[in-house]
Amino acid sequence: MGWWDTKYTPYLAIAPFFVVFGIFGLYPLLYTAWVSLHDWQLIEGSQGFVGLANFRALFVDPNFWNALGNTVSLFVLSTVPQLVAALGLAALLDRGLRGRAVWRAGVLLPNVISVAAVALVFAQLFGRDFGIVNGVLGVFGVDPVDWRAETWASHLAISSMVVWRWTGYNALIYLAAMQSVPKDMYESALLDGASRWRVFWSITVPSIRPTILFTVIVSTIGGMQLFVEPQLFDPGGTATGTGGADRQFQTLVMYLYEKGFRLFDAGYSSAIAWVLFMLILLVALLNFTLTRRIASKG
Amino acid sequence: MSGTLVGRVSATIATVVAATTLVACGGGSGAGDGKVKLSIGIFSDFGYDNLIKEYQAQHPGIEVEQRKVKMEQHHTQLATQLAGGRGAADIVAIEEGNVALFRQSKDKFVNLADYGAKELKSQWAAWKWNQGTTDDGNFVLGLGTDMGSLALCYRRDLFQAAGLPVERDAVGELWPTWQDFLATGDKFTAATPNVKFVDTAQNVYKAILDQTEEGYFAKADDSFIADSNAKVADAFKLAASLGEKKQTSALAPFSQDWNVALKQASFATTTCPAWALALIKAGAGDEAAGKWDVAAAPGGGGNWGGSFLAVPKQGKHPKEAYELAKWLTAPEQQKRIFKETGNLPSEPAAYKDAEVTSTVNDYFNKAPVGQIFGNSAENLKPTYRGTKDSKVTPVFNNALQRVETGKQSTSDAWDQAVREARDAAK
């Protein structure tokens, strides 16, 4: 019995996760794949097997490529500044500040506010006629920007929402990692006359490499699945779900939503879901290799 | 020792599985106190709060819960719930523009004729009744609630500043046709260039379309005709010309920004079906009381909006649900809803009733809304709604918005819209 115990108990102990994942993760994933091979109407269900027709249609669909482009643009615009800012913020929080706990808890605040509330506030900030951002720009003589109509402006506005929400969260993760970097390494570097900047790049960043890797991958997944912020930024809301009158900020998940839940084309929507899944795997893998290489050079 | 550990682990697994099944089965379970629990899924303001309290008092065995969400969300949610076979309310509201789509999935709904709904037919304006039925009237999908006959709301102070007539009859005479409406817009803009004449091109477009017999789809066979129906193209061009001349505020109708613009009095007119009065009042706020007024719409009557109450098959108490829906849509209740929210009854017995026709709306400068909307309801010829109407409509709205924001010319926007609409209607 003792042998059986040591050999199998650990598997049993981690099994609950995999059982739950199987039910709520794997099964829907496979079911989605099954649906994507059919002409499937949302309410009425399958209208017949069509093989890869949904995928073939998807790859020549200009709206799909537009959504992909928007997603990548929003992902880069939000993830890069977010992680860089988080790294800097964590380095500052890592110093002996007065009232440390308050500052540290404070950076997490944007993250605990409901995303719907955030979107509501930002929608007002970026209002065309009466928005505060345009008001401030006006002081400097800049013409009002139609934040929803212009592609670049809408991307900036939405990214600012994402950056605002997630920077503090990532900063806390970095901070936790920085705390475990041995202090004597810093001391000896400073004794050798290294600048703070140099210490940061040569000691801090390489030491928290696995953590950076983790945040990059998590943000990749989050960035590729961006949905709520742009959806709520769209004044047409779910009525159109097109991300602006010209699809200027429609992300892949928004397109999936439009096809599946507004046009009731569940088969096509499932095909988008699967392509998105593959894309995320691919980008995460790419990021993994890139980040590892960059970080190991430092 | 080892035995207990294995036991503990398997107990954990059992708990997890049990918990997940419990979650899956949660909701929908019967009430413990023996009462029949009915839920009713609606959007915006149906004016049911007081009515439901009264119904519960009259029927002690019944408890009614209202579920309110935003309109677009409501219909999307309903579609998923019908597809999943669970989660839908016992009674669900379906808006006029969506009813054709759900008529297609009638097998997911209770045929209200089974409970005797056909006897009620004479209560409604004939077209309203027909919209809620299918199979030559043998399948009753939903009972009509309100309807949305059309008027035009305008701001008196802004009209005065522009040197235009202010009294509602004179204002109505400014625009017998939509062309006259455009001409008034030019005058208005010339006099007060900083105020927009109309809220959005979309609403004007929708109003004109609602005055035609056929829109995007042919009445005869539900085929796609948006590309050949000159009335659609004309309505589009007329509305777009307002956008081209920058006489619209170019905001999404009924959005947050639209509310702000109302508050700031940055547009002077908006097309207003009966139910829109409540939205205008809420957006413009108390300080604008008496400044808005209601005039006749250009081009005569039209129907915009109005809903139906349907009973999904998945509910546990179809009979009780039908009884409640029947009561809520009866003329007596429709009259009371009109008093409360301004939603126009869809039943002649209600909208011709002296109580309704004598109603004035204090907020809108004491406009005789009962008369204005009642008259408009009498002359109303409903537009045929195709099965895929709700899929095609946003495409044209987006196109108009592109014109309003100066991103596309009218003809480019139109071409793109027709192309996209053809795809959506496939």
Side-chain angles (χ1 to χ4, degrees):
Chain A
M1 203 56 192
W3 170 83
W4 194 90
D5 193 16
T6 47
K7 184 143 190 198
Y8 291 106
T9 306
Y11 292 101
L12 264 177
I14 56 166
F17 169 79
F18 288 96
V19 170
V20 173
F21 171 74
I23 298 172
F24 294 102
L26 202 59
Y27 173 71
L29 198 66
L30 296 176
Y31 188 70
T32 308
W34 175 243
V35 172
S36 74
L37 301 176
H38 291 77
D39 175 7
W40 196 293
Q41 295 305 306
L42 185 65
I43 303 184
E44 297 303 306
S46 175
Q47 312 285 311
F49 187 81
V50 294
L52 293 174
N54 281 325
F55 290 93
R56 276 198 297 273
L58 189 62
F59 287 121
V60 293
D61 180 353
N63 291 341
F64 165 73
W65 293 107
N66 169 61
L68 179 60
N70 286 339
T71 308
V72 171
S73 158
L74 283 168
F75 160 64
V76 172
L77 271 177
S78 55
T79 309
V80 176
Q82 176 197 136
L83 293 184
V84 171
L87 205 54
L89 196 59
L92 292 176
L93 286 172
D94 198 24
R95 297 195 180 180
L97 291 172
R98 220 182 271 260
R100 214 178 300 177
V102 175
W103 296 111
R104 286 178 185 177
V107 297
L108 199 64
L109 271 180
N111 197 250
V112 293
I113 295 170
S114 133
V115 59
V118 174
L120 210 66
V121 171
F122 273 72
Q124 265 177 356
L125 290 179
F126 288 102
R128 184 198 57 195
D129 297 333
F130 308 106
I132 298 171
V133 177
N134 274 348
V136 172
L137 287 178
V139 173
F140 297 101
V142 180
D143 285 335
V145 177
D146 194 344
W147 292 100
R148 287 178 181 79
E150 305 298 332
T151 309
W152 64 270
S154 62
H155 286 203
L156 272 183
I158 293 164
S159 306
S160 71
M161 227 182 296
V162 180
V163 170
W164 186 80
R165 274 193 80 214
W166 291 99
T167 301
Y169 171 85
N170 285 307
L172 278 196
I173 295 180
Y174 287 151
L175 179 64
M178 284 176 190
Q179 304 260 291
S180 62
V181 179
K183 291 283 171 272
D184 46 349
M185 281 175 75
Y186 289 131
E187 276 161 22
S188 42
L190 288 173
L191 273 180
D192 287 347
S195 65
R196 280 213 175 259
W197 188 244
R198 175 75 206 222
V199 170
F200 177 70
W201 280 112
S202 301
I203 298 176
T204 314
V205 173
S207 308
I208 63 168
R209 198 178 71 183
T211 311
I212 294 178
L213 201 66
F214 168 78
T215 57
V216 166
I217 287 172
V218 169
S219 323
T220 304
I221 296 170
M224 295 302 283
Q225 295 181 342
L226 197 62
F227 175 66
V228 185
E229 286 93 344
Q231 180 85 350
L232 291 174
F233 191 68
D234 191 349
T238 48
T240 57
T242 51
D246 211 9
R247 300 178 184 275
Q248 57 270 43
F249 53 93
Q250 185 178 45
T251 63
L252 275 177
V253 183
M254 285 172 82
Y255 191 45
L256 181 157
Y257 183 86
E258 185 200 350
K259 277 287 181 188
F261 296 99
R262 206 179 61 67
L263 300 175
F264 293 176
D265 192 345
Y268 199 84
S269 180
S270 301
I272 301 177
W274 257 87
V275 171
L276 181 63
F277 174 62
M278 298 312 251
L279 272 173
I280 292 176
L281 276 186
L282 205 77
V283 178
L285 214 67
L286 196 76
N287 268 338
F288 185 76
T289 0
L290 276 180
T291 326
R292 226 162 62 149
R293 198 179 287 167
I294 293 167
S296 65
K297 268 187 191 153
Chain B
M1 174 67 197
S2 63
T4 53
L5 188 56
V6 173
R8 215 181 296 164
V9 170
S10 25
T12 314
I13 296 173
T15 318
V16 168
V17 172
T20 51
T21 20
L22 266 183
V23 169
C25 297
S29 55
D33 49 10
K35 278 192 178 182
V36 172
K37 281 195 176 168
L38 292 178
S39 50
I40 174 163
I42 54 170
F43 47 88
S44 59
D45 196 356
F46 275 61
Y48 286 164
D49 295 358
N50 290 327
L51 293 181
I52 283 175
K53 269 183 216 144
E54 188 182 313
Y55 192 80
Q56 289 183 140
Q58 287 171 10
H59 303 77
I62 289 179
E63 205 176 304
V64 186
E65 168 212 11
Q66 282 191 90
R67 299 185 194 160
K68 264 186 225 177
V69 289
K70 283 181 93 176
M71 184 175 111
E72 304 84 32
Q73 219 180 336
H74 169 84
H75 291 100
T76 304
Q77 227 174 51
L78 177 59
T80 3
Q81 287 159 344
L82 292 177
R86 65 186 324 131
D90 293 290
I91 302 173
V92 294
I94 303 176
E95 198 262 343
E96 184 225 4
N98 290 279
V99 76
L101 186 64
F102 285 101
R103 226 167 21 213
Q104 259 194 323
S105 310
K106 64 173 195 295
D107 54 311
K108 309 277 184 196
F109 290 96
V110 170
N111 181 359
L112 300 180
D114 295 347
Y115 294 99
K118 273 190 188 172
E119 292 159 24
L120 308 174
K121 181 177 176 180
S122 59
Q123 282 181 20
W124 281 272
W127 63 269
K128 180 78 182 178
W129 172 258
N130 290 338
Q131 270 189 335
T133 62
T134 179
D135 292 357
D136 294 325
N138 288 316
F139 192 102
V140 181
L141 179 74
L143 303 177
T145 60
D146 61 321
M147 64 180 176
S149 78
L150 198 64
L152 213 121
C153 292
Y154 67 99
R155 261 192 88 119
R156 299 170 64 91
D157 52 339
L158 297 179
F159 267 49
Q160 181 147 33
L164 291 171
V166 176
E167 295 314 319
R168 66 182 73 90
D169 291 336
V171 169
E173 279 161 20
L174 282 176
W175 48 58
T177 69
W178 285 102
Q179 286 299 337
D180 300 323
F181 182 73
L182 289 189
T184 311
D186 291 339
K187 267 186 231 158
F188 180 90
T189 310
T192 50
N194 290 327
V195 185
K196 301 295 183 188
F197 178 56
V198 61
D199 58 344
T200 73
Q202 284 180 47
N203 280 355
V204 169
Y205 172 67
K206 168 89 175 128
I208 306 174
L209 270 192
D210 284 340
Q211 293 169 341
T212 62
E213 208 181 339
E214 278 178 331
Y216 302 123
F217 296 90
K219 203 171 179 177
D221 58 357
D222 202 32
S223 62
F224 181 71
I225 53 164
D227 44 359
S228 57
N229 185 352
K231 293 204 165 132
V232 176
D234 289 347
F236 187 90
K237 275 176 205 145
L238 196 146
S241 74
L242 283 163
E244 273 183 343
K245 288 186 282 189
K246 299 282 167 209
Q247 291 178 0
T248 68
S249 73
L251 298 166
F254 316 124
S255 66
Q256 197 184 347
D257 287 348
W258 184 82
N259 280 323
V260 178
L262 259 176
K263 193 134 218 153
Q264 308 276 354
S266 63
F267 58 78
T269 66
T270 175
T271 48
C272 56
W275 49 262
L277 296 188
L279 297 180
I280 295 171
K281 184 180 170 189
D286 289 338
E287 66 269 27
K291 288 183 177 161
W292 280 95
D293 208 326
V294 189
N303 182 59
W304 177 343
S307 300
F308 296 85
L309 294 183
V311 178
K313 251 187 196 159
Q314 51 184 266
K316 284 205 179 76
H317 312 287
K319 184 164 173 21
E320 286 84 352
Y322 167 72
E323 293 296 334
L324 175 57
K326 179 177 146 189
W327 186 79
L328 284 172
T329 53
E332 203 46 45
Q333 276 61 251
Q334 290 207 349
K335 267 194 281 185
R336 290 170 55 192
I337 292 166
F338 176 73
K339 291 237 152 202
E340 202 150 310
T341 64
N343 294 355
L344 184 73
S346 57
E347 299 168 325
Y351 67 69
K352 283 183 181 166
D353 190 285
E355 244 183 281
V356 169
T357 52
S358 66
T359 303
V360 294
N361 191 320
D362 288 340
Y363 186 86
F364 287 81
N365 193 38
K366 301 201 167 47
V369 287
Q371 244 169 38
I372 296 175
F373 289 112
N375 282 343
S376 163
E378 278 294 276
N379 306 319
L380 189 153
K381 285 184 210 80
T383 313
Y384 172 74
R385 306 275 179 222
T387 311
K388 290 178 173 153
D389 235 70
S390 58
K391 301 184 178 183
V392 171
T393 306
V395 166
F396 288 89
N397 286 340
N398 274 348
L400 281 173
Q401 224 185 328
R402 291 195 297 272
V403 177
E404 286 182 291
T405 52
K407 298 195 83 180
Q408 255 180 349
S409 70
T410 303
S411 65
D412 285 352
W414 169 257
D415 290 345
Q416 188 181 330
V418 169
R419 206 168 53 237
E420 287 175 2
R422 244 186 243 127
D423 275 348
K426 247 183 225 161

